[in-house]
Structures are given as C-alpha cells and as structure tokens.
Amino acid sequence: MKQLPAATVRLLSSSQIITSVVSVVKELIENSLDAGATSIDVKLENYGFDKIEVRDNGEGIKAVDVPVMAVKYYTSKINSHEDLESLTTYGFRGEALGSICSVAEVVVTTRTAADDFSTQYVLDGSGHILSQKPSHLGQESRAILKRNELRLEPGLLAVTAAVVLVLDHQCHLCRRRTGVC
C-alpha cells in the first residue's frame, strides 16, 4: 500500500461536496444567502460546464478571513461541534469553496462596506491565493469558476446536463405562466 498524493485526496474528498454543476451553484447561492445577499445573479456558459458566475450584494469577505476563505475546514460559522445545535446558516463546514477549487479554476471578487475598493483573488486547487488585484466592482461579491481545470466524471456530466435542461425548461414554463421565474 502507498499513500495517495495530496492532490488526489483533495479531488476524491471534493466529490462528496461537488457532484455536479447544480451542486456548485447550490453551494455558491448558499454562501451568498449566508452573506446576507438580497440579490443573486447566476450565469452559466454551456449549462455551467465552461463557466459559472455568481454575483451577489452580500456583506463580502472580511480582510482577516480572505487568506483562508477557500481553504478547507476554515469557517467563521462554528467553533466546535456544540455549535451545530444552534446553526442559523446554510454553510458551516468550510468545504464549499475549497472543494470547488479542487475541481475548477476559481476567481473570487469581494468588497465589504469597510473596504475602499473591491479586490479580485485567483485561487489555486487548495484554496490558497495565487494572485490578487484591485477590481472595478462596487459593493458586491462575485465568484467565477472556469472549466479549464474542471474534472467531473463523463457520466456525471450527462446527468448534470439533463438536470440543468429540466430546470431551464421549468423556468421557461414558469416565466410563460407567471412572467417571473
């Protein structure tokens, strides 16, 4: 027997959290809601297989939390297992962004009310910051995931495509009937 390389372990454990494009979007929307967002915009290119972009008007990520915002098992929501009994948020494990970083190229742009300007962060496969630069975005946050490093199983892609197509169809039906979706 031999120990698996760290990158392989990250990818395998990420598949428990990130199983499809739908699960990625779900995790990012939950992050937005936990940040107090009242407006969330989701854009998918090629049904999310090439690019997923989520923008929100939430509180942003505090400067002190930025270095570990996507490192697995870092969270601002709980301090110990006792806190699990009184959760008021969707996310708490500190796994979503870290897991997404394991399967896609991730760029996060964020700004809090205390910040003078937005900052864009490019993250590596472990959730660490590769680079950062000022951004033109106002008081909003944005997460962009690109396919260039996406590693989902082919069978899973087919199932995800079917789910996204069904959701898209339902949204069109809803829009026709009510004018909203």
Side-chain angles (χ1 to χ4, degrees):
M1 288 190 151
K2 61 182 175 182
Q3 185 175 14
L4 291 172
T8 302
V9 171
R10 277 192 306 277
L11 184 60
L12 291 173
S13 66
S14 294
S15 67
Q16 296 171 12
I17 306 299
I18 306 304
T19 57
S20 65
V21 171
V22 173
S23 66
V24 170
V25 172
K26 173 196 150 305
E27 294 291 342
L28 294 174
I29 288 174
E30 288 178 351
N31 281 356
S32 295
L33 293 171
D34 285 347
T38 57
S39 174
I40 303 169
D41 184 34
V42 178
K43 294 180 183 179
L44 306 176
E45 284 184 14
N46 187 25
Y47 299 100
F49 298 125
D50 293 335
K51 182 179 174 183
I52 300 169
E53 180 176 342
V54 176
R55 285 183 179 217
D56 68 53
N57 66 344
E59 297 171 2
I61 302 167
K62 296 175 189 163
V64 67
D65 295 331
V66 165
V68 292
M69 68 180 153
V71 177
K72 279 189 160 191
Y73 312 117
Y74 276 78
T75 180
S76 60
K77 314 270 177 33
I78 63 172
N79 294 311
S80 69
H81 68 278
E82 287 91 7
D83 294 341
L84 296 174
E85 295 176 20
S86 59
L87 281 176
T88 59
T89 61
Y90 291 100
F92 61 89
R93 297 179 312 259
E95 291 185 89
L97 274 179
S99 294
I100 294 168
C101 286
S102 294
V103 298
E105 179 184 313
V106 178
V107 177
V108 174
T109 305
T110 188
R111 177 181 175 195
T112 67
D115 296 332
D116 293 331
F117 54 87
S118 298
T119 304
Q120 180 185 81
Y121 302 93
V122 177
L123 306 175
D124 70 10
S126 298
H128 294 100
I129 298 169
L130 287 174
S131 66
Q132 69 183 62
K133 65 181 182 179
S135 171
H136 67 283
L137 289 182
Q139 178 69 41
E140 67 179 45
S141 293
R142 175 174 67 179
I144 299 176
L145 317 169
K146 293 184 183 174
R147 183 176 191 263
N148 96 356
E149 292 294 322
L150 193 61
R151 294 182 290 267
L152 293 176
E153 295 296 319
L156 194 55
L157 289 175
V159 170
T160 302
V163 169
V164 172
L165 287 172
V166 167
L167 289 173
D168 187 51
H169 177 70
Q170 292 298 327
C171 194
H172 286 317
L173 289 176
C174 180
R175 225 181 261 129
R176 256 193 257 144
R177 291 183 186 148
T178 66
V180 295
C181 179

